[in-house]
Amino acid sequence: MIKNIEDDFASYTFTVYPPPAPGLPWLAVCIAPDGHVLDAEAFATRDEAEIVTRKAEEVLLDSIVQKHRMPDHASMH
């Protein structure tokens, strides 16, 4: 089961792009396995963008773990 969780999580891309020009923001982006942008958010600093990106990764990983978790009623006897 752990391998499936790792594979699911690894299929998403989280990245922080630097400003393309002075005065523009840092951009935190999450890309789905199919290539669609799930979320993008602008930040004034790299630190802000990195913090939000790490939190988004944690939330996604938790969601994937919950998806793979065996339902309570399906316990082994």
Side-chain angles (χ1 to χ4, degrees):
M1 179 164 50
I2 296 298
K3 185 65 173 164
N4 290 338
I5 292 170
E6 291 171 355
D7 290 345
D8 280 359
F9 183 71
S11 66
Y12 290 84
T13 300
F14 291 86
T15 192
V16 174
Y17 293 104
L24 293 177
W26 289 83
L27 190 62
V29 180
C30 176
I31 303 170
D34 64 5
H36 285 89
V37 174
L38 294 177
D39 192 27
E41 190 171 348
F43 295 91
T45 69
R46 178 182 183 166
D47 287 343
E48 290 173 324
E50 292 286 348
I51 289 168
V52 170
T53 299
R54 297 292 87 74
K55 181 63 178 168
E57 288 176 328
E58 291 171 14
V59 169
L60 175 64
L61 182 57
D62 185 55
S63 175
I64 291 170
V65 167
Q66 294 301 320
K67 181 179 87 171
H68 285 277
R69 185 173 279 168
M70 188 181 332
D72 290 338
H73 66 277
S75 62
M76 297 178 151
H77 296 279

